[in-house]
Amino acid sequence: MNHFNIISSLILFGLSILCFWLPFKNRNKKTGIVTGTILSLLIAWTILAELEFLVIFIWPFILAFQIVFLTYWIFRVFKRPKTGKYVSLLLTFGFILLFMSPWISDWTFSKNDARKLLAEHNIELKDDFKILKNESGGFMDYAHTLKIQISESDKVR
């Protein structure tokens, strides 16, 4: 186990304790016990199983949940439940956009983006073209697949 895993697991366990303690202190014992237990078990499972891909892919979701959960409960402890609800909803929306950004960039891919991508490879199309397929992704090895239909004159040129 490397230093990153040890330090980040300690931080996540500390936040899990806060996720337990804040609702528990605010007379919501069931919420505190369930949330703290589930988060601690998830973190312990990824550490004990030594599954590096889980650390990379699961821990950001756990951290995002903890941030949203703690934001709501901190405002609730300070007698501002509506503010906590709105701020946590805003944070949830922001995290959803962040986690969905690879798919959003694929969905919003346009002909101008295709022209820029083709220009990087010194390919210039004079006529109009049609995008047939566009996929990008990969965590460690990024790959972009673009399939277009071009005119006969561009093929000849």
Side-chain angles (χ1 to χ4, degrees):
M1 182 176 282
N2 59 27
H3 291 88
F4 170 77
N5 289 358
I6 293 170
I7 292 170
S8 57
S9 63
L10 288 174
I11 290 169
L12 289 176
F13 272 125
L15 290 174
S16 295
I17 290 169
L18 277 176
C19 287
F20 160 76
W21 183 69
L22 282 175
F24 196 85
K25 179 183 177 240
N26 205 22
R27 296 188 182 115
N28 287 3
K29 294 181 180 184
K30 269 188 186 175
T31 304
I33 291 170
V34 169
T35 306
T37 303
I38 289 173
L39 289 173
S40 297
L41 287 175
L42 276 172
I43 297 165
W45 177 58
T46 57
I47 292 170
L48 295 175
E50 293 187 21
L51 302 171
E52 292 294 323
F53 71 92
L54 284 179
V55 169
I56 293 170
F57 292 113
I58 300 294
W59 283 11
F61 292 103
I62 294 172
L63 182 63
F65 175 80
Q66 288 175 333
I67 290 170
V68 171
F69 188 83
L70 289 174
T71 301
Y72 172 76
W73 279 99
I74 288 170
F75 279 108
R76 194 161 168 183
V77 165
F78 288 113
K79 308 288 189 242
R80 307 283 300 180
K82 281 188 177 181
T83 305
K85 186 186 300 183
Y86 293 132
V87 171
S88 62
L89 282 173
L90 185 68
L91 283 173
T92 301
F93 183 69
F95 281 125
I96 288 172
L97 284 178
L98 179 68
F99 290 136
M100 293 290 293
S101 63
W103 292 279
I104 292 171
S105 66
D106 279 349
W107 297 335
T108 59
F109 191 80
S110 67
K111 287 186 177 183
N112 287 334
D113 296 328
R115 283 190 180 95
K116 288 177 189 173
L117 191 63
L118 292 171
E120 290 177 11
H121 297 283
N122 296 324
I123 299 172
E124 184 181 336
L125 300 176
K126 299 288 183 189
D127 298 329
D128 197 28
F129 59 92
K130 183 178 177 184
I131 298 174
L132 301 175
K133 181 180 173 184
N134 175 52
E135 294 177 353
S136 64
F139 186 69
M140 297 294 221
D141 298 326
Y142 178 77
H144 192 137
T145 304
L146 175 63
K147 187 175 182 181
I148 58 174
Q149 182 179 9
I150 62 174
S151 67
E152 285 298 322
S153 63
D154 278 336
K155 284 181 187 177
V156 171
R157 199 172 47 78

